[in-house]
Amino acid sequence: MAEPPSPKAAGESRAEPGIDVARDAPIRPVETRSGASQTVSEAEATTGGQTAAESFPGAGQTAALTRVLTLPGAEIRTDDRVWTPPPFTILYRQRVREVDGETWYAVGRQRDRTEGWVREGQTEEWRSMLVMQYAPLAGRNRVLFFREPDHVRDVLDSHFTGPETARALYQSVRRGDYDPSRLVAIEPERPVRSDQAPYFMPIIDFRRDEFEDANLTPVFLLQLAAVNLESSSRRESDVPGRPKAVTPDGEALSEFRAGMVFVVDATVSMGPYIREVQDFLRAMRTESDRVAPGRIDFGLIGYRDNISPDPRIGYTTETFLPLGTPGGARFEEAVSRIAPARVSTRDWREDAFAGLQDAIERIDWSPYDARFVLLVTDAGPRAIGDALARDRQLGARSVGRMAERRDISLHVLHMQTDEGQNDHAQARAQYAEATQALGDAAPRYWTLSGDAPAQFGAAMRATGREILSTLKKFSAGDSLQREPLFSGDPIMQDLVAVEAVDIASERDAEKVGQALSEQFFVFQQEYLGRREGEEAPDFYRAWVADRDLVTPRAESMAVKVLVTRAQLSDLAARLSDIVRRLDEKQTGTQDAFASIAGLSGVTAYDPNLTVSALLPEYLAELPYGSTFMTMTAEQWGSLGQQQQGEILNEVRDRIRLLESINASAADWLPLPGRSAAEEVYPLDLDDLP
């Protein structure tokens, strides 16, 4: 196939997308659209061709092989065959030719394999591997996709007088009488999970804008395509349509089950809070068995600290009540066993992350559709690198993502007592990061001040009322409803996208119960979506705001970068080497940076070189920056030892996270026509170091 086939000469027989068409030898060099020749390096060959992108959402690709997306109806031709790939198939553009005034691309689903030629006009250049996915549903409304960017701007501008226009728009969507000339597609009512119905939305174009609200909240307007990787509609040219009507499934909800595990700090100072948890569990077991038997189970894990300083501490973690324990004498005996330690631990901090790890990884969550873990403590956790931690490599980000991957709603109730005031700042930072790693705008981190035992007891009672109310609805065949989200609830409006919510009075305690109710709604929608086989809507292209149209503080879309296992493994290995070299006290800062640069293929060491320049090329121009990624040797050397240690511990947490993702089979997306080795993972930009 030295030249693209002439349309007149090409046969009209069609082959299925998976057919083995003619194979070219690996292309070295490759011609670009300008006619210049670029060579594909060995490093590019081993990392799957991922390349740099410009500022968010990315539009610049520096390597020779550019990715393109096939548009609906695109035809790929060889000398004797014509076949139509599914819309938005990802292909590598390997060569460019002009034939009779028309531009043709040699393309293939693999870097070094040409599968045919396609007209330029039947493709969309996709220079980055940045995609968008729906943000978690908690704390936001459904995403609306508009035909033109001005249609989105009309809503943004209307915020000058408040979000009433946006609320009215959602009401029209609910009624089904919205203007189809403006709305291209609507996110389904049921959440679409990419691990169960794989999808992603490539970014075609973007604009920076802002809401005309009091804060002039910045927003990106994104032009997206939608790709359902396993949908039958992938073979159709354009399927915007109207959202299907969703009716509550009472029979389905009658089978809905919830699990709630308390992880309780069982040290000397925690006596009043332990008694409140015990009272809650006893009351909830009795009441739930009466109004909704078999619908909810409770678990209880106690944690203390490393026992090596004093064996009388008793344990680091202990599971007192596994999920599934029936009520009665066995339940009462298990709940009664937890008690505060008789001796003090080494310092104020305890090994909270060990307790959370047991709750997340060592509990069988498979029978449960709603999954809650509630940490109850008056102390901060042993953070990554702490010599007394059970797992010195386990940090806040990893704990949060661990819960997210198992679909667990993690909540922290942190008593801000006078005795622990020197620990509050560290604890707040760690718990906020762990709960925010779940990625939604729902409140999950609660600080309790003032008369903390009284506020905690009130919060438990409010939580119990909401749980029982929800279970009663499900048992009666009713479902939880909301629309538009938080429209008349100033309490919940105040909770959106807040790092920590302080419970300073019994009235404030209602916020905890309402937040749990919101999370129950999300679990309900996910449960029904799984039963109904919900898929993301396909559309050719549409414009969307990356923040909620009613509540701009909440994100509606999450930006991801697609990475292969090879890329993830390479990134973790390079980061590990950088951390090791920077942590070696006998190695000077300049020498460490110079040695890292040499291993990264940088031939001439530049003292102004940043860490990001020493990492894989595809990270270089992502819309992401951090203290570590932008650090130069001079800046690193100017930091004190404690600051350096804190930064390296944060990077170690990210390394552990990347390694755990790489080792997992969950959430990896297969690309049509690619081998298992070319599966991609939608990595959140916030998970970079």
Side-chain angles (χ1 to χ4, degrees), residues 576-636:
S576 296
D577 186 63
I578 290 173
V579 169
R580 180 181 63 80
R581 291 172 184 270
L582 292 178
D583 204 31
E584 289 178 348
K585 302 300 184 246
Q586 69 273 22
T587 302
T589 297
Q590 297 287 347
D591 291 340
F593 267 72
S595 63
I596 297 167
L599 290 175
S600 301
V602 179
T603 55
Y605 173 65
D606 180 353
N608 295 316
L609 206 63
T610 63
V611 170
S612 62
L614 308 175
L615 294 173
E617 181 187 6
Y618 68 88
L619 298 177
E621 296 181 24
L622 286 178
Y624 178 84
S626 68
T627 301
F628 181 71
M629 294 277 275
T630 58
M631 190 77 66
T632 65
E634 181 179 358
Q635 291 169 332
W636 180 260

Side-chain angles (χ1 to χ4, degrees), residues 485-669:
L485 179 61
F486 305 156
S487 59
D489 192 338
I491 292 179
M492 289 303 293
Q493 190 76 273
D494 289 342
L495 300 183
V496 176
V498 176
E499 178 185 277
V501 178
D502 186 51
I503 307 301
S505 68
E506 292 200 21
R507 183 177 180 181
D508 288 339
E510 296 294 328
K511 298 176 182 178
V512 181
Q514 291 190 44
L516 264 290
S517 178
E518 161 71 4
Q519 194 61 57
F520 256 112
F521 173 81
V522 174
F523 281 127
Q524 166 195 283
Q525 297 299 84
E526 290 179 346
Y527 172 75
L528 294 176
R530 288 193 298 271
R531 293 178 64 95
E532 296 166 4
E534 193 67 86
E535 294 178 348
D538 282 336
F539 52 83
Y540 170 41
R541 65 178 72 192
W543 287 89
V544 65
D546 73 339
R547 308 200 75 81
D548 187 76
L549 294 177
V550 175
T551 310
R553 285 178 293 173
E555 292 183 350
S556 63
M557 308 291 293
V559 61
K560 313 276 186 174
V561 57
L562 297 183
V563 294
T564 65
R565 288 188 187 276
Q567 290 172 321
L568 208 58
S569 178
D570 176 52
L571 175 58
R574 292 202 202 189
L575 287 171
S576 296
D577 186 63
I578 290 173
V579 169
R580 180 181 63 80
R581 291 172 184 270
L582 292 178
D583 204 31
E584 289 178 348
K585 302 300 184 246
Q586 69 273 22
T587 302
T589 297
Q590 297 287 347
D591 291 340
F593 267 72
S595 63
I596 297 167
L599 290 175
S600 301
V602 179
T603 55
Y605 173 65
D606 180 353
N608 295 316
L609 206 63
T610 63
V611 170
S612 62
L614 308 175
L615 294 173
E617 181 187 6
Y618 68 88
L619 298 177
E621 296 181 24
L622 286 178
Y624 178 84
S626 68
T627 301
F628 181 71
M629 294 277 275
T630 58
M631 190 77 66
T632 65
E634 181 179 358
Q635 291 169 332
W636 180 260
S638 68
L639 299 178
Q641 185 173 349
Q642 180 178 347
Q643 289 176 293
Q644 290 180 346
E646 290 173 352
I647 291 174
L648 291 181
N649 281 339
E650 290 178 6
V651 179
R652 290 187 179 99
D653 191 15
R654 297 301 198 274
I655 293 170
R656 179 193 171 97
L657 174 60
L658 297 177
E659 290 174 341
S660 66
I661 292 172
N662 203 33
S664 171
D667 300 328
W668 286 86
L669 304 179

Side-chain angles (χ1 to χ4, degrees), residues 94-377:
Q94 298 161 339
R95 285 177 290 173
V96 180
R97 289 286 187 272
E98 297 290 333
V99 177
D100 297 332
E102 228 180 351
T103 302
W104 291 75
Y105 296 156
V107 294
R109 285 166 289 186
Q110 299 177 22
R111 297 176 55 87
D112 58 355
R113 179 178 178 179
T114 298
E115 296 183 78
W117 293 81
V118 63
R119 289 184 175 91
E120 176 189 33
Q122 294 181 339
T123 67
E124 182 84 56
E125 190 169 289
W126 190 35
R127 299 187 179 187
S128 74
M129 287 290 272
L130 286 177
V131 300
M132 303 301 288
Q133 290 189 336
Y134 296 113
L137 186 61
R140 68 170 180 85
N141 291 281
R142 295 157 66 189
V143 178
L144 304 181
F145 298 88
F146 295 82
R147 193 168 303 278
E148 300 293 341
D150 285 345
H151 296 156
V152 193
R153 288 197 184 95
D154 289 343
V155 180
L156 305 184
D157 294 343
S158 71
H159 272 256
F160 184 78
T161 55
E164 296 309 317
T165 298
R167 289 179 180 143
L169 178 58
Y170 277 103
Q171 289 168 355
S172 70
V173 168
R174 188 72 171 177
R175 295 190 303 266
D177 60 2
Y178 61 88
D179 183 355
S181 69
R182 295 170 65 88
L183 287 182
V184 172
I186 300 168
E187 179 188 6
E189 283 195 44
R190 316 301 193 205
V192 180
R193 293 180 57 94
S194 64
D195 58 336
Q196 295 160 0
Y199 77 95
F200 60 84
M201 289 177 269
I203 301 166
I204 306 302
D205 195 5
F206 78 100
R207 315 276 170 83
R208 290 178 175 86
D209 216 307
E210 60 187 21
F211 285 82
E212 287 294 320
D213 58 3
N215 300 313
L216 294 179
T217 305
V219 61
F220 278 105
L221 305 186
L222 308 169
Q223 188 183 44
L224 307 176
V227 180
N228 281 312
L229 297 178
E230 296 177 358
S231 169
S232 58
S233 64
R234 290 256 297 145
R235 295 186 180 279
E236 301 177 23
S237 62
D238 190 11
V239 194
R242 287 182 175 268
K244 66 180 181 182
V246 176
T247 56
D249 188 340
E251 182 179 349
L253 288 173
S254 68
E255 302 170 7
F256 185 96
R257 296 186 65 193
M260 178 173 288
V261 174
F262 281 85
V263 179
V264 180
D265 179 345
T267 53
V268 173
S269 60
M270 286 293 293
Y273 310 104
I274 291 174
R275 288 191 292 273
E276 289 287 356
V277 171
Q278 290 171 321
D279 291 346
F280 172 88
L281 291 173
R282 291 174 180 131
M284 285 297 298
R285 181 74 287 162
T286 299
E287 284 300 298
S288 63
D289 285 348
R290 181 178 65 84
V291 304
R295 305 298 298 280
I296 188 168
D297 287 332
F298 298 96
L300 178 61
I301 294 174
Y303 74 90
R304 290 173 179 167
D305 204 11
N306 194 313
I307 65 172
S308 58
D310 188 343
R312 293 177 298 169
I313 293 171
Y315 57 82
T316 300
T317 65
E318 183 171 346
T319 300
F320 294 97
L321 183 68
L323 279 178
T325 304
R330 182 180 170 191
F331 185 91
E332 174 60 31
E333 188 275 334
V335 170
S336 299
R337 283 177 52 216
I338 188 170
R342 297 182 179 180
V343 298
S344 297
T345 51
R346 177 73 170 269
D347 52 37
W348 192 258
R349 296 174 187 173
E350 319 296 352
D351 205 346
F353 288 165
L356 289 175
Q357 184 178 33
D358 285 2
I360 295 168
E361 294 191 329
R362 299 182 184 180
I363 292 287
D364 180 12
W365 291 97
S366 58
Y368 303 100
D369 307 298
R371 305 172 180 185
F372 296 92
V373 169
L374 279 70
L375 176 72
V376 180
T377 185

